[in-house]
Amino acid sequence: MFSRALGVVVLVASCLVSTGTAVTYSPVKPPSYPLAVRSPYLSAWIPGSDVASLPNSNAQFWAGNDLTWSVIARVDGTTYNLFGVTSPPVGTKSATVTEASYTSTHSTFVVTAGSRQFTLDFFSPVSPKNYIRQSLPFSYLTVTLAAGDSSSVQIYSDIDSTWTGQTSDSSWSYTTSGSTSVFQIQTVGAATYSQNSDGQALWGSAVYATAGTSLSTQSGPISTLRNRFVNNGTLSGDHADWTSNGAVAFAHDLGTTADETAVTFAIGHVREQSIDFLGAAQTGYYRSAYKETPAAVAHFLNDYEAANSESTKLDDLIQSIGTSSYGSNYSDILALSVRQTYGGTEITIPDDSLDTSDTRAFIKEISSDGNINTVDVIYATFPIFYILSPDYLKLLLSPVFDYMGSDAYTKDYAVHEIGANYPNATGHPADGEEMPIEESGNVIFLAYAYQKATGNRDFATTYSAQLKKYADYLQENGLYPASQLSLNDALGALANQTNLAVKAAVGLATYGALTGDMSYTTVGKEWGDKIWTDHLGTDADGTHFLIQYGITPWFLVYNHYPDLLFCLNAFPDEAYNATAKFYPTVRGTAGVPLDGTLGWGQTNWQAFVAATVSGDAREMFISDLHAYMANGLNTAPFSDRYWVDASGSYSAGESYSFRARPTLGSHFALAALSGANIWS
Ligand SMILES: *[C@@H]1O[C@H](CO)[C@@H](O)[C@H](O)[C@H]1NC(C)=O
Ligand SMILES: *[C@@H]1O[C@H](CO)[C@@H](O)[C@H](O)[C@H]1NC(C)=O
Ligand SMILES: *[C@@H]1O[C@H](CO)[C@@H](O)[C@H](O)[C@H]1NC(C)=O
Ligand SMILES: *[C@@H]1O[C@H](CO)[C@@H](O)[C@H](O)[C@H]1NC(C)=O
Ligand SMILES: *[C@@H]1O[C@H](CO)[C@@H](O)[C@H](O)[C@H]1NC(C)=O
């Protein structure tokens, strides 16, 4: 009787697995899972809505175009598609997806294929202070066979020239480095530093690599490779030339095993000349140690254990700073924001000297316009760097200051960006955007964030004359800003923008803290009092900020966040208390918009304001952000702009055009209040 009952239980359990329709999403089902997100050009994702059909769904580049990347497994001669097989070969089955989860560095999917269970772990390292590890332009895919019966298992994976951005004319090569097998695919005939219309790099090469003792390889028409694996479990070792229907593939034979067994692949996109900085080619920092791609990717695979153990430490830290500064809703948001932020950023050295004393960083304004080192994008991003890698602030700002200090730049305020099109950091175009108060304030905040987090005065010393120039610009122009753009360029040019004057006031107080010249601090505080206490920038009753002096609507003023972060007290406490009371009264259906006339809001500035308010208002901001992330309405890599109210064909909670922007570093604003530079 007892054993019969047990038998029934087992039967029910196995029925559930084999017919299972429900996927468990943990901690939530996000709009899109990062798969391989390491640079603006290695940015592969899968929409959350595609995960239940993972075996037959494509990876996508951040822009949404398909990338061919498959995993297929044979279990005792039966073939199961695990990932990315949109046209299943005849005679194959689809695995069943049971679990999907993400941390700050891993996206993990558990699938069942016949009698065996596999875990696909897409791991993009984020190494806040190890520039070699961080700059290696590769990401891991580890396929783990769980312990089980003694079936015979083989694992196959392929990619094709969708990874090069040009499927019409490419070429490929196969090499080995030690025990590592390496395929590289590159476009033919494209210019260095050029992109396709989806923003993929047309120069450089896509890389696929793995190592193993029972490994076979093949390149050729994709159907030939997959059919060969289906029928045989191995590949032929033939390396046919590129064709437009071609792919490169690996097959690992795990043999007959009941044990847990794992194989790891490295996927990447390498550009040896990665950035054009004022005419000088820059390259990835890692090339100081691993100059050639096969050696670099072999090192990357060898570094797996160390990188993975660092990732566990980072995942734990993000989880704990999220829960301790607010709760698990907040840590869910932070975890999804980490790869997207670092993956929009690259650490470089000069391509000719490979001199690591000449290290720089570049950030791409992905999707909104492709600008390089946009100063307000660095501003949006800075809280995560303040916490984890404050040196990045110096590395990102120094190319901006070097450009602004050159004869090519003649303005007396700070520049908006150093090039219209990443990776060409060739200077701000004459017809580029001008945001005088915005960027002059931002460079001062960022310089001080670096100094406060690290205790190093080197940046402020090196660039003291320029910093003073921008502080003086704020002092002369900041209380009544002339008609100009702010970073919210969608609003157009407006005069007397309260949020810009707030930036100027806090910027002056920050400059005082940066340099010790308290006369600037005094002016900043006077302006804070004028704007808030004397109602220059508020409604007549002083309950909230207006978009422009004396002009409605209200505005979500976020530029006093640095005031709070740096403990400057340029604005009175009352400003924080009153706005905490006010914002919940103007919430839309799915969140607080950017101002009283708009149907959309930005997660960046909601997250800044969540840090400046307490109590119910903070709870509202974090909870709305979490609901937006988890509402199932979106499929793009985390968009930082969304409809808070229904508008036209959009529902409240749907994202609004931006995607995959590195500006999600802003989500760390609240966590940053607990301390800087906590990663060692
Ligand atoms: C960068 O500049 C080069 C010319 O120097 C050009 O060929 C390329 O298309 C530019 N890249 C972008 C993304 O505009
Ligand atoms: C399978 O692989 C073995 C070993 O490489 C080879 O001898 C055999 O011809 C292959 N069979 C098929 C059907 O491709
Ligand atoms: C800015 O505000 C001040 C004070 O309210 C006002 O005198 C001035 O005319 C405004 N400037 C513009 C350009 O509207
Ligand atoms: C702001 O709110 C805090 C907490 O509610 C309170 O202790 C403080 O007195 C308030 N300050 C002002 C200036 O209203
Ligand atoms: C967490 O976020 C969800 C929306 O996704 C919300 O319903 C819930 O109230 C939030 N929990 C807390 C404790 O704020």
Side-chain angles (χ1 to χ4, degrees):
M1 194 61 196
F2 185 58
S3 61
R4 242 178 88 96
L6 258 187
V8 169
V9 169
V10 168
L11 185 64
V12 168
S14 69
C15 284
L16 277 181
V17 169
S18 58
T19 62
T21 47
V23 182
T24 307
Y25 297 94
S26 149
V28 299
K29 179 159 87 171
S32 190
Y33 287 89
L35 298 181
V37 178
R38 294 277 278 154
S39 83
Y41 301 114
L42 178 63
S43 186
W45 302 74
I46 194 155
S49 58
D50 285 356
V51 160
S53 58
L54 188 73
N56 310 115
S57 298
N58 272 127
Q60 301 178 356
F61 189 62
W62 67 255
N65 49 307
D66 286 341
L67 299 171
T68 302
W69 188 11
S70 80
V71 178
I72 305 175
R74 287 169 104 242
V75 178
D76 278 343
T78 303
T79 305
Y80 295 89
N81 302 303
L82 307 190
F83 163 55
V85 185
T86 50
S87 309
V90 173
T92 63
K93 301 182 174 182
S94 289
T96 305
V97 183
T98 58
E99 289 171 42
S101 59
Y102 71 83
T103 65
S104 50
T105 52
H106 296 256
S107 295
T108 306
F109 308 102
V110 179
V111 303
T112 304
S115 62
R116 302 302 290 266
Q117 182 178 287
F118 296 83
T119 301
L120 280 62
D121 176 8
F122 295 87
F123 164 33
S124 294
V126 170
S127 188
K129 292 190 172 170
N130 178 337
Y131 297 161
I132 295 228
R133 186 173 289 152
Q134 183 58 37
S135 64
L136 284 159
F138 310 108
S139 190
Y140 300 104
L141 164 58
T142 297
V143 182
T144 302
L145 169 70
D149 60 20
S150 303
S151 36
S152 164
V153 176
Q154 294 83 38
I155 294 169
Y156 165 100
S157 186
D158 62 30
I159 69 164
D160 73 7
S161 46
T162 51
W163 290 81
T164 67
Q166 177 174 290
T167 51
S168 58
D169 195 3
S170 298
S171 68
W172 57 42
S173 61
Y174 173 77
T175 48
T176 56
S177 175
S179 61
T180 302
S181 294
V182 185
F183 283 110
Q184 291 189 71
I185 316 178
Q186 50 275 314
T187 60
V188 173
T192 307
Y193 306 127
S194 65
Q195 296 180 167
N196 71 10
S197 59
D198 290 316
Q200 287 183 275
L202 288 170
W203 80 112
S205 59
V207 177
Y208 207 34
T210 192
T213 44
S214 297
L215 176 70
S216 55
T217 66
Q218 193 171 348
S219 58
I222 196 164
S223 57
T224 306
L225 309 187
R226 290 179 179 180
N227 287 329
R228 157 82 197 202
F229 177 75
V230 169
N231 293 324
N232 197 311
T234 64
L235 294 168
S236 69
D238 296 336
H239 298 135
D241 285 346
W242 179 87
T243 50
S244 62
N245 63 350
V248 299
F250 298 111
H252 286 277
D253 187 354
L254 308 189
T256 300
T257 177
D259 297 339
E260 178 178 298
T261 313
V263 295
T264 296
F265 302 90
I267 188 138
H269 193 281
V270 172
R271 295 128 51 227
E272 289 196 351
Q273 297 193 310
S274 60
I275 303 276
D276 178 349
F277 177 57
L278 303 179
Q282 309 298 303
T283 194
Y285 186 98
Y286 71 93
R287 291 191 67 235
S288 59
Y290 306 98
K291 192 160 188 274
E292 306 300 334
T293 296
V297 72
H299 162 74
F300 180 74
L301 285 166
N302 288 332
D303 191 44
Y304 178 80
E305 291 303 332
N308 196 38
S309 104
E310 183 183 26
S311 79
T312 306
K313 196 177 138 205
L314 184 66
D315 290 351
D316 290 349
L317 179 80
I318 300 301
Q319 175 77 19
S320 87
I321 62 176
T323 49
S324 66
S325 48
Y326 183 78
S328 66
N329 271 4
Y330 189 45
S331 58
D332 296 350
I333 297 163
L334 298 188
L336 192 63
S337 305
V338 174
R339 280 169 287 178
Q340 182 165 324
T341 304
Y342 279 85
T345 313
E346 299 189 277
I347 302 284
T348 69
I349 51 176
D351 184 53
D352 50 5
S353 66
L354 303 179
D355 179 357
T356 55
S357 68
D358 215 354
T359 301
R360 296 186 175 83
F362 297 92
I363 190 165
K364 183 175 184 183
E365 192 176 341
I366 292 176
S367 86
S368 41
D369 63 13
N371 288 179
I372 183 162
N373 287 26
T374 311
V375 173
D376 53 88
V377 165
I378 306 172
Y379 173 59
T381 307
F382 93 92
I384 194 175
F385 295 141
Y386 183 74
I387 298 172
L388 296 176
S389 3
D391 282 340
Y392 274 48
L393 297 170
K394 177 171 86 172
L395 300 179
L396 287 162
L397 278 185
S398 55
V400 175
F401 275 71
D402 289 344
Y403 169 67
M404 294 192 299
S406 75
D407 291 343
Y409 190 72
T410 54
K411 309 272 169 50
D412 52 1
Y413 53 80
V415 75
H416 170 260
E417 91 300 310
I418 58 172
N421 299 299
Y422 200 97
N424 294 332
T426 46
H428 178 65
D431 62 352
E433 289 186 313
E434 305 294 319
M435 300 183 185
I437 301 288
E438 175 71 59
E439 310 303 12
S440 299
N442 290 339
V443 294
I444 293 169
F445 292 150
L446 295 168
Y448 187 57
Y450 163 73
Q451 179 165 309
K452 187 166 161 64
T454 62
N456 296 334
R457 305 187 56 85
D458 57 334
F459 189 86
T461 303
T462 304
Y463 298 106
S464 59
Q466 284 183 63
L467 286 162
K468 179 167 189 311
K469 181 164 76 173
Y470 304 130
D472 290 342
Y473 184 87
L474 292 180
Q475 186 154 344
E476 279 152 35
N477 302 283
L479 185 58
Y480 298 99
S483 177
Q484 61 192 284
L485 293 178
S486 73
L487 65 84
N488 303 113
D489 51 6
L491 305 180
L494 299 173
N496 281 335
Q497 288 188 61
T498 308
N499 199 37
L500 283 184
V502 169
K503 178 157 281 176
V506 181
L508 290 175
T510 304
Y511 184 75
L514 180 75
T515 58
D517 184 341
M518 299 314 277
S519 64
Y520 290 89
T521 309
T522 304
V523 175
K525 288 188 189 210
E526 282 168 15
W527 290 10
D529 279 337
K530 281 196 175 118
I531 296 167
W532 182 264
T533 315
D534 301 344
H535 300 174
L536 182 60
T538 73
D539 62 316
D541 296 335
T543 65
H544 58 266
F545 289 108
L546 299 176
I547 188 168
Q548 293 168 272
Y549 294 162
I551 300 177
T552 54
W554 62 266
F555 194 81
L556 185 75
V557 165
Y558 50 83
N559 279 332
H560 58 189
Y561 168 66
D563 187 28
L564 198 79
L565 180 68
F566 302 146
C567 307
L568 302 170
N569 296 312
F571 278 79
D573 280 357
E574 207 213 57
Y576 298 99
N577 286 8
T579 50
K581 231 191 234 167
F582 176 73
Y583 292 129
T585 69
V586 291
R587 177 179 177 272
T589 311
V592 178
L594 185 61
D595 75 37
T597 62
L598 297 171
W600 50 268
Q602 280 204 220
T603 70
N604 321 109
W605 315 127
Q606 293 167 341
F608 270 40
V609 174
T612 69
V613 295
S614 54
D616 292 349
R618 177 173 292 172
E619 180 157 322
M620 169 191 72
F621 280 111
I622 306 281
S623 166
D624 283 343
L625 193 44
H626 190 267
Y628 161 59
M629 180 181 81
N631 67 17
L633 297 174
N634 300 298
T635 56
F638 205 141
S639 172
D640 53 344
R641 187 164 71 176
Y642 73 100
W643 294 98
V644 297
D645 282 311
S647 173
S649 60
Y650 293 101
S651 327
E654 279 193 83
S655 64
Y656 177 26
S657 73
F658 292 173
R659 40 167 70 211
R661 300 198 332 145
T663 48
L664 302 196
S666 53
H667 295 167
F668 285 75
L670 174 58
L673 299 181
S674 306
N677 202 11
I678 63 174
W679 182 255
S680 53

